Amino acid sequence: MSGVYARRAGRRTAVAAASAALAATSVLLTAPTAQASPPTPVSAATARTYLGQLTERAEGSSTGYSRDKFPHWITQSGACNTREVVLKRDGTNVQQDSACAAVSGSWYSEYDGATWTAASDLDIDHVVALAEAWRSGASGWTTSQRQAFANDLSRPQLIAVTDNVNQAKSDLDPAEWMPSRTAYRCTYARMWVHVKHHWNLTVDSAEKSALQGVLNNC
């Protein structure tokens, strides 16, 4: 895996350098004014209320966890699976082939402010990671419930972001990781609380404190 990540890192370094050189004459690195995005999360005020309603509990064990217990990406319609639906939704001028694969377009990664023109440079992040959900109550769900969570297009749970940023985030909660792009942290906290509240997941004390700190400044 390290070789794959190294090749990706090298490719991203080259792309980033080229993009920087074009910054003076291109709007590629600027978030498009009509940028599509995940469903709008609840307001900061509502998120603060929701956060107070979440059960505070020490994080559970990862014992028994497997990504396979959260089936994804499932077919949404025709040949399109959840990943392709999110890529189409979150991108600009996205063109898909007959298999629904994104073959062109551009994507602005809200977490780090980078823009990409190859779908292979994007991961679809589960805002509340699958392992985090498992430790917060999903271990007791049915496979059907976990599948619905892993492919939830109705809540702000899925977002297309730079692949290595998503990999760095891993399964960390907001006490351990927040987007490097500080302008997005309020939105991210609102998204996180919205998802946890809808799915009745718990929060640990450090996670709750971190979320309160962000939401109080929104």
Side-chain angles (χ1 to χ4, degrees):
M1 294 296 289
S2 60
V4 173
Y5 290 158
R7 289 193 296 275
R8 283 183 169 180
R11 183 178 71 250
R12 282 192 291 275
T13 299
V15 171
S19 296
L22 291 170
T25 57
S26 173
V27 296
L28 184 61
L29 296 183
T30 302
T33 56
Q35 176 71 30
S37 60
T40 303
V42 294
S43 68
T46 299
R48 287 191 288 269
T49 298
Y50 280 6
L51 183 59
Q53 295 171 349
L54 293 178
T55 299
E56 184 177 338
R57 181 180 300 156
E59 196 165 82
S61 170
S62 293
T63 300
Y65 168 73
S66 167
R67 288 177 66 84
D68 292 340
K69 293 183 177 180
F70 292 79
H72 66 289
W73 304 111
I74 63 170
T75 299
Q76 292 292 338
S77 63
C80 302
N81 66 23
T82 308
R83 172 181 165 85
E84 299 299 350
V85 169
V86 175
L87 285 172
K88 175 72 171 179
R89 182 198 69 190
D90 289 3
T92 301
N93 299 322
V94 177
Q95 300 297 316
Q96 297 171 306
D97 64 17
S98 59
C100 207
V103 294
S104 65
S106 66
W107 292 267
Y108 179 79
S109 172
E110 295 283 6
Y111 288 0
D112 59 329
T115 296
W116 303 101
T117 56
S120 58
D121 284 316
L122 282 298
D123 276 356
I124 307 305
D125 179 41
H126 289 95
V127 172
V128 176
L130 304 183
E132 165 68 22
W134 178 269
R135 298 189 297 264
S136 303
S139 60
W141 293 352
T142 64
T143 299
S144 177
Q145 287 173 307
R146 289 193 287 264
Q147 175 177 293
F149 175 81
N151 298 275
D152 188 359
L153 294 167
S154 298
R155 262 66 53 181
Q157 161 68 343
L158 301 172
I159 183 171
V161 296
T162 303
D163 55 2
N164 66 335
V165 172
N166 180 55
Q167 292 150 16
K169 173 191 169 182
S170 185
D171 61 351
L172 303 178
D173 70 31
E176 304 160 316
W177 186 93
M178 289 290 284
S180 61
R181 183 169 163 258
T182 56
Y184 200 68
R185 290 182 179 179
C186 179
T187 301
Y188 183 79
R190 290 160 50 208
M191 294 165 78
W192 184 279
V193 173
H194 187 157
V195 171
K196 280 218 161 178
H197 185 270
H198 176 82
W199 289 96
N200 196 29
L201 295 169
T202 62
V203 289
D204 63 50
S205 59
E207 174 189 355
K208 183 175 183 179
S209 178
L211 288 164
Q212 285 175 327
V214 173
L215 292 171
N216 286 343
N217 289 294
C218 288

